[in-house]
């Protein structure tokens, strides 16, 4: 805005300015490049005045193209910004945006596309694996962003992932491109943990945005979404809503008490009685949620991992996908 004085001044003592500019190496120099000047800056040689450094002038103000500035690098010395000043600022902003874009570009779009293409060459569908891996990557990177926004000492827990966790073993390792993404984002495996040191927050913000875009591309292709869609389209009335609500509650009990095996087996007669009878697509829904349907005993039993444990992370992801799918289909 041309004539608003506050828009042409930067108060160095402001908390946000201190955090985002003054304490960052090169931050004040970048302001100088944009045309800001103060008594604390020796504009003749481009260096700080040793007698009055910026760090000692935290209460000072940098002004955009001030009258007192005699530097030839300033496009204008008038109080009101001229056309040449505005053109200079537009060009400067454009150049900075291009640099930021270049340095915050992530490997995610390329590697996720490779993961999807690799999936097409395999007999076993793994759209769900790619989808859930992307969701867990987004959570992991969001923790890094949150840790850097927090005041005080940052816990290393926010910057680490246990190699023995279900997330790493079953979500990331089953999609090798996720390991490539971790490495590209600066993670290294140290003593059983994948950790990132001194992360560039802007890159992680861009990564979260890229992952959100990738998740959006395949969200309607997950097995749970397709099963939910079939259930809704094949059964008019309240039956689908009741069944989905009941299944969500069943999965919730497993999540809350995973060691209680009685929650791992569902009686079909009880399940369908609550939803008003057998529904078209209900068997497929149970299968997609991770249950093995036995028509002889009329039960649906939760499948375990090869090591015989409950993949609790997968149960939670599928439950969330069920509720998300129902919400999108119910409001479409």
């Amino acid at each position: 805005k041309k004539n608003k004085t506050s828009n042409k001044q930067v108060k160095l003592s402001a908390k946000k300015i201190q955090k985002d500019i003054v304490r960052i190496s090169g931050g004040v120099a970048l302001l100088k490049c944009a045309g800001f000047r103060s008594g604390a800056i020796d504009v003749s040689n481009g260096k700080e005045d040793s007698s009055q450094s910026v760090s000692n002038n935290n209460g000072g103000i940098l002004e955009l193209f001030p009258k007192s500035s005699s530097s030839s690098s300033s496009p204008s010395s008038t109080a009101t910004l001229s056309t040449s000043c505005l053109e200079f600022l537009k060009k400067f902003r454009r150049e900075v945006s291009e640099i930021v874009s270049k340095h915050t570009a992530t490997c995610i779009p390329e590697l996720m596309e490779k993961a999807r293409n690799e999936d097409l060459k395999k007999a076993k569908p793994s759209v769900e694996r790619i989808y859930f891996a992307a969701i867990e990557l987004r959570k992991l990177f969001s923790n890094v962003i949150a840790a850097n926004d927090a005041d005080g000492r940052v816990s290393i827990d926010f910057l680490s992932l246990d190699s023995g966790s279900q997330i790493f073993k079953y979500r990331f390792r089953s999609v090798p491109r996720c390991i490539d993404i971790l490495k590209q984002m600066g993670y290294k495996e140290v003593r059983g943990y994948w950790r990132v040191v001194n992360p560039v927050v802007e890159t992680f913000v861009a990564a979260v945005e890229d992952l959100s875009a990738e998740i959006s591309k395949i969200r309607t292709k997950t097995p749970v979404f397709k099963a939910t869609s079939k259930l809704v389209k094949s059964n008019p009335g309240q039956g689908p809503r009741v069944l989905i609500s009941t299944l969500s509650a069943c999965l919730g009990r497993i999540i809350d008490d995973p060691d209680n095996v009685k929650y791992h087996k569902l009686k079909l007669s009880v399940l369908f009685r609550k939803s008003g009878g057998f529904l078209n697509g209900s068997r497929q829904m149970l299968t997609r949620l991770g249950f093995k349907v036995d028509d002889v005993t009329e039960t649906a039993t939760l499948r375990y991992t090869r090591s015989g444990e409950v993949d609790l992370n997968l149960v939670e992801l599928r439950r969330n996908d069920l509720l998300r799918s129902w919400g999108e289909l119910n409001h479409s």
Side-chain angles (χ1 to χ4, degrees):
K1 296 181 180 179
K2 278 188 182 182
N3 301 315
K4 193 170 182 179
T5 304
S6 61
N7 286 335
K8 295 186 288 181
Q9 295 181 341
V10 174
K11 190 174 182 180
L12 297 179
S13 61
K15 185 176 180 180
K16 184 172 178 58
I17 299 299
Q18 282 280 318
K19 177 183 176 182
D20 296 344
I21 297 179
V22 176
R23 295 175 186 172
I24 305 299
S25 177
V28 175
L30 195 60
L31 281 177
K32 289 170 55 183
C33 291
F36 285 88
R37 300 287 184 267
S38 79
I41 303 294
D42 180 2
V43 298
S44 62
N45 57 19
K47 297 181 180 180
E48 292 181 6
D49 186 337
S50 59
S51 65
Q52 191 180 9
S53 68
V54 172
S55 60
N56 294 326
N57 190 35
N58 289 341
I61 293 176
L62 294 184
E63 187 175 354
L64 184 61
F65 309 141
K67 283 184 177 181
S68 59
S69 175
S70 59
S71 172
S72 59
S73 62
S74 296
S76 172
S77 61
T78 59
T80 301
L81 300 186
S82 66
T83 301
S84 61
C85 287
L86 293 175
E87 290 301 321
F88 171 81
L89 289 175
K90 288 178 182 178
K91 180 181 178 181
F92 180 80
R93 182 172 65 176
R94 185 168 59 251
E95 291 176 350
V96 170
S97 296
E98 290 175 355
I99 294 172
V100 170
S101 177
K102 179 180 179 181
H103 285 275
T104 56
T106 75
C107 59
I108 289 169
E110 177 186 356
L111 292 179
M112 290 299 289
E113 182 180 3
K114 288 182 178 180
R116 290 194 300 272
N117 292 336
E118 288 169 347
D119 174 56
L120 296 177
K121 299 175 183 177
K122 298 179 182 180
K124 184 180 178 180
S126 60
V127 171
E128 182 183 65
R129 287 188 288 133
I130 296 172
Y131 179 75
F132 288 156
I135 286 179
E136 290 300 336
L137 277 175
R138 185 172 64 178
K139 289 180 185 177
L140 181 66
F141 295 165
S142 295
N143 284 340
V144 174
I145 297 169
N148 279 270
D149 284 344
D151 294 328
R153 187 176 179 180
V154 176
S155 171
I156 198 170
D157 292 340
F158 287 99
L159 310 178
S160 306
L161 177 66
D162 189 344
S163 300
S165 66
Q166 290 187 340
I167 293 175
F168 184 81
K169 288 192 300 182
Y170 303 135
R171 302 294 85 76
F172 294 166
R173 204 154 60 186
S174 64
V175 183
R177 294 297 177 180
C178 286
I179 308 299
D180 295 338
I181 290 174
L182 287 176
K183 292 178 180 178
Q184 291 282 349
M185 294 298 293
Y187 282 84
K188 295 181 179 179
E189 189 174 13
V190 181
R191 296 178 183 178
Y193 288 88
W194 284 82
R195 288 175 177 158
V196 58
V197 180
N198 299 325
V200 179
V201 179
E202 292 79 10
T203 303
F204 277 81
V205 171
V208 167
E209 293 176 356
D210 285 344
L211 284 167
S212 295
E214 296 299 322
I215 289 168
S216 181
K217 290 178 183 178
I218 58 177
R219 75 181 196 282
T220 60
K221 300 176 182 179
T222 67
V224 172
F225 185 92
K226 290 182 176 180
T228 306
S229 179
K230 179 180 178 180
L231 191 72
V232 171
K233 293 177 180 179
S234 304
N235 302 278
Q238 295 298 310
R241 180 188 64 79
V242 176
L243 179 60
I244 288 172
S245 177
T246 304
L247 288 173
S248 174
C250 292
L251 294 174
R253 283 190 283 270
I254 295 174
I255 294 169
D256 293 338
D257 192 3
D259 296 327
N260 195 332
V261 294
K262 74 175 183 181
Y263 295 141
H264 301 176
K265 182 177 289 188
L266 308 178
K267 293 183 179 180
L268 299 184
S269 58
V270 176
L271 183 66
F272 295 139
R273 184 170 66 246
K274 291 182 178 180
S275 59
F278 180 83
L279 301 178
N280 292 327
S282 56
R283 182 188 179 93
Q284 182 186 32
M285 173 62 77
L286 286 166
T287 302
R288 295 295 182 259
L289 290 175
F291 290 92
K292 180 180 180 181
V293 179
D294 189 330
D295 293 326
V296 177
T297 60
E298 293 188 346
T299 58
T301 306
L302 184 69
R303 294 179 182 273
Y304 300 149
T305 65
R306 290 181 179 179
S307 60
E309 65 177 339
V310 176
D311 189 344
L312 199 58
N313 174 251
L314 181 59
V315 173
E316 187 171 2
L317 285 167
R318 282 174 170 162
R319 180 174 184 261
N320 291 341
D321 200 24
L322 175 66
L323 296 175
R324 185 223 17 123
S325 301
W326 168 252
E328 289 187 12
L329 291 165
N330 197 38
H331 294 91
S332 59

